[in-house]
Amino acid sequence: MAVEPRVAVVGPLPPPSGGMANQCRQLVRLMQAEGVPMELVRTNAPYSPAWIGRIPVLRAFARLLPYLWALWQAAGRNQVFHIFANSGWAWHLFAAPAVVIGRMRGVRIIVNYRGGNAEPFLQSTVPYVARMLGSVDRLVTPSGFLKDVFGRFGLESQIVSNIVDLTRFTPQERVFTSAPHLIVTRNLEPIYDIPMAIRAFAAVRTRYPAARLTVAGTGPELGRCEALVQELGVADGVSFVGRIDNDQIPALYATADVALNPSTVDNMPISILEAYASGVPVVTTDVGGIPYIAFHEKTALLVASGDYKAMAAAVCRLIEEPALTTRMLEAGLAEARGYAWPHVKEQWLGVYRHVLSAPAR
């Protein structure tokens, strides 16, 4: 039997249950279940003692110094650093130090870059970021959207899909009633524009007064969203259920009739793929990398960012055109199968083996 490469995955874990944290957790868990030796170096380890987390400057050092030491130790035990990376301060504080320490220790470096803000980040940041990305052994992205972005900066990258563990999701037969249940599974942050989904829901309610909306997420926009549902007179139909752990997300999809994604910036939202896998039709904005995984009138209905009236009309169309919805659900499930774990596992093992066999950069 071939000896698998020893890999240290550098990335976050839930909480919070963001896309990158959930993907990191799934990758480590599923690889370990396959017998692949993987070590996790967590970028968001809990503060010890917990009270340090309430002091801004101190908490940065309290997390950074143990993190650097963990990187140094992991580099001595592993052959590859698989670094989950994002834009902004997350790059400077977590990804860049991992690249530097990995290089110092002779470890092969894979940067797994995520997030829809890559282009403005590379345009506005200091030149060392692009140089560092160009120097790693392999730059990997989960989407064609980011591959195109990196190409515009002269950076070669490889696509390895996000993981959708299809064993966790069961497609439900959709029978729409006069009380459709809409869901949003994005955090309440400005870039996800939850108010757009609320306004769309209010418009749907003019046609379907018994409709319901569940918003599963937390964030700084909660107060604004709560005020908006009161202003629009739909508070009795909207539930803010807070953050739902990824393990409980399938149960939410099982109750849903339509999934809404109102984001203004996005790369490859796993929530869309999970809706596909659950047999839930999707209405989404067409920003960033979304058109690379959501195809209008084939796997989803796409609308312009901020156009809540179009989003509401799309929801009503799904309810009132069952033939279209059935076709979309079948195509969405087929799309989700391309992100199933057996396929993604072989992609990652191929990347690990390649960087170990290729000459060091």
Side-chain angles (χ1 to χ4, degrees):
M1 180 180 295
V3 177
E4 298 295 357
R6 298 188 309 278
V7 180
V9 175
V10 181
L13 288 183
S17 292
M20 188 160 74
N22 288 326
Q23 285 293 303
C24 182
R25 179 172 65 175
Q26 286 191 91
L27 177 70
V28 173
R29 175 175 56 84
L30 291 169
M31 280 292 192
Q32 288 176 338
E34 299 278 353
V36 178
M38 303 200 91
E39 177 179 351
L40 174 67
V41 179
R42 189 172 174 181
T43 57
N44 64 341
Y47 295 105
S48 181
W51 60 263
I52 291 178
R54 298 192 292 268
I55 305 175
V57 176
L58 182 58
R59 70 187 180 194
F61 285 99
R63 177 171 281 172
L64 183 60
L65 295 179
Y67 170 65
L68 297 177
W69 177 239
L71 286 173
W72 185 267
Q73 291 181 305
R77 294 188 289 262
N78 295 279
Q79 300 164 291
V80 179
F81 267 8
H82 176 159
I83 304 167
F84 279 74
N86 207 335
S87 305
W89 282 108
W91 169 266
H92 301 301
L93 290 176
F94 302 120
V99 173
V100 172
I101 289 176
R103 280 277 178 258
M104 292 172 63
R105 300 277 272 163
V107 174
R108 299 301 173 91
I109 306 295
I110 299 166
V111 170
N112 186 196
Y113 205 106
R114 298 163 177 275
N117 277 319
E119 186 158 21
F121 177 61
L122 290 172
Q123 287 173 338
S124 64
T125 195
V126 291
Y128 95 90
V129 176
R131 289 199 302 269
M132 185 174 282
L133 287 171
S135 72
V136 302
D137 295 286
R138 185 57 60 94
L139 175 58
V140 178
T141 173
S143 71
F145 166 66
L146 279 183
K147 182 177 176 65
D148 290 347
V149 168
F150 290 131
R152 291 195 285 274
F153 289 85
L155 297 169
E156 182 180 351
S157 60
Q158 176 180 345
I159 298 174
V160 176
S161 304
N162 273 331
I163 303 164
V164 179
D165 187 355
L166 296 182
T167 63
R168 298 173 54 234
F169 300 94
T170 303
Q172 307 291 316
E173 183 177 351
R174 299 294 153 196
V175 180
F176 288 107
T177 69
S178 60
H181 180 204
L182 283 55
I183 65 169
V184 179
T185 57
R186 308 307 298 265
N187 280 331
L188 283 72
E189 299 174 8
I191 63 170
Y192 298 129
D193 197 7
I194 306 303
M196 175 189 174
I198 293 171
R199 293 183 185 279
F201 169 71
V204 169
R205 257 204 154 186
T206 62
R207 188 175 245 167
Y208 296 96
R212 297 180 294 126
L213 172 67
T214 297
V215 180
T218 59
E221 294 277 282
L222 177 59
R224 177 188 175 199
C225 291
E226 290 176 331
L228 182 61
V229 300
Q230 294 289 342
E231 175 188 331
L232 297 175
V234 294
D236 61 316
V238 179
S239 298
F240 295 99
V241 297
R243 181 179 292 119
I244 295 179
D245 188 84
N246 195 248
D247 293 337
Q248 277 74 56
I249 282 291
L252 176 62
Y253 282 115
T255 70
D257 293 307
V258 181
L260 305 181
N261 181 63
S263 53
T264 63
V265 175
D266 234 320
N267 171 31
M268 183 185 183
I270 197 70
S271 57
I272 289 178
L273 301 176
E274 290 176 341
Y276 290 166
S278 303
V280 178
V282 173
V283 179
T284 178
T285 53
D286 59 1
V287 301
I290 290 173
Y292 289 75
I293 63 168
F295 310 101
H296 185 57
E297 296 185 339
K298 294 183 179 179
T299 61
L301 294 182
L302 276 64
V303 300
S305 176
D307 192 346
Y308 73 89
K309 293 181 180 178
M311 178 167 276
V315 170
C316 294
R317 187 179 176 195
L318 290 173
I319 297 170
E320 295 159 10
E321 297 183 31
L324 170 66
T325 303
T326 298
R327 290 196 305 271
M328 283 174 43
L329 293 178
E330 292 172 352
L333 186 57
E335 179 74 11
R337 292 191 185 106
Y339 303 87
W341 170 240
H343 178 64
V344 180
K345 177 191 73 173
E346 292 305 319
Q347 289 182 309
W348 275 121
L349 290 176
V351 173
Y352 299 152
R353 292 164 184 156
H354 177 80
V355 298
L356 283 174
S357 63
R361 299 190 66 170

